[in-house]
Amino acid sequence: MRLFSVTTLTLLLLSPSAWSTGKTPEDIREAFYAWVLAHPSAALPSAVERAQLVRILAPATIQLLERAAAMESLCVKSATADDKPFIVEGDLFVGNYEGASEVAYGDASRTVTSENAQVMFTSDLLYIDTRFAKAHRHRTVAWRDRLDVRLLNGHWQVHDVQFSENHSLRGNVQAYVEEATKLCAKP
C-alpha cells in the first residue's frame, strides 16, 4: 500500500502527462486523488473546478454535478432572507464530511467484458485535524472508499466513488438534486 500526501499528489496533478490522457486506470486514480486532496471542499465544485474534472470524471458524473449546481443556485435564489438555503455541504468526493488529508492506494479488482472495462480500487483515506494535539482521539479519522474507474470512449474515467453504508458520490448528488427539486422549485 502506497501512502501519498497532499504535496506529492499536487505535484502529480501539475504534471499533465500524469492525468490528461487517462492511459491507465491507475493514472486516473492518481489524478482523481491529486485533485481531491488539492481542492478540499465543503460544497459542490465550481464551474472552473468542474471544467478541471472533465478530464477525470465520466461525462454522466459531470452532468449530474452541473444539474446539482443549477438546483443549488435555484435554492439560494428561492430562500428567504432569514432562511438558510438548501445547499450541498461537506466534501462530496470522499466518505468524510471534512475531506481527506492523505490517501493510500489499496487493491484493485478488474472486470472486463465485451461491453465494459471496469476497475474498482480500494483507497484508504485519512483526515488529520491539526486543531487537536498529536495522539488526541479526535485528531485523525480513517476510512476506506472504493473508486469505480471505467473505460469510456477509449479513456479511463472515474464513474463513481463508493462510500460506506451504501452511499456514493453519484447517489448523494442525485439525492440532492431530487430533494432540491421538491424544496426549491417555484410553484
Side-chain angles (χ1 to χ4, degrees), residues 3-186:
L3 185 65
F4 292 89
S5 67
V6 174
T7 305
T8 304
L9 288 172
T10 301
L11 291 174
L12 285 171
L13 180 63
L14 296 176
S15 170
S17 64
W19 59 279
S20 63
T21 60
K23 292 181 182 178
T24 69
E26 290 79 11
D27 290 341
I28 288 301
R29 173 194 62 193
E30 290 176 15
F32 175 75
Y33 283 114
W35 191 91
V36 166
L37 294 179
H39 295 85
S41 176
L44 285 167
S46 68
V48 170
E49 291 169 330
R50 288 192 307 275
Q52 295 168 351
L53 288 166
V54 164
R55 298 178 179 189
I56 301 170
L57 297 180
T61 305
I62 292 291
Q63 291 170 354
L64 186 57
L65 289 169
E66 289 172 350
R67 286 181 37 220
M71 287 309 304
E72 186 175 75
S73 178
L74 180 63
C75 288
V76 168
K77 289 176 186 173
S78 67
T80 61
D82 55 340
D83 280 340
K84 179 180 176 185
F86 183 59
I87 60 173
V88 173
E89 296 180 291
D91 195 310
L92 286 175
F93 298 102
V94 298
N96 182 43
Y97 185 88
E98 289 84 9
S101 304
E102 296 187 17
V103 62
Y105 301 136
D107 297 330
S109 168
R110 298 173 190 273
T111 305
V112 179
T113 66
S114 60
E115 299 173 5
N116 187 26
Q118 176 185 27
V119 179
M120 293 294 287
F121 291 104
T122 58
S123 303
D124 292 321
L125 295 115
L126 181 69
Y127 171 72
I128 302 169
D129 190 337
T130 57
R131 296 175 300 170
F132 295 100
K134 289 183 179 181
H136 189 281
R137 68 185 186 120
H138 295 299
R139 182 171 169 89
T140 60
V141 177
W143 70 97
R144 177 172 287 168
D145 291 343
R146 291 177 39 89
L147 190 66
D148 180 353
V149 178
R150 297 184 186 184
L151 187 62
L152 303 166
N153 301 321
H155 298 282
W156 290 98
Q157 297 175 312
V158 173
H159 177 72
D160 204 356
V161 184
Q162 302 294 320
F163 309 130
S164 64
E165 300 174 12
N166 295 322
H167 292 278
S168 72
L169 166 64
R170 289 177 62 148
N172 291 350
V173 175
Q174 182 63 40
Y176 171 78
V177 169
E178 291 170 5
E179 190 66 19
T181 301
K182 294 175 192 172
L183 295 174
C184 305
K186 296 188 177 186

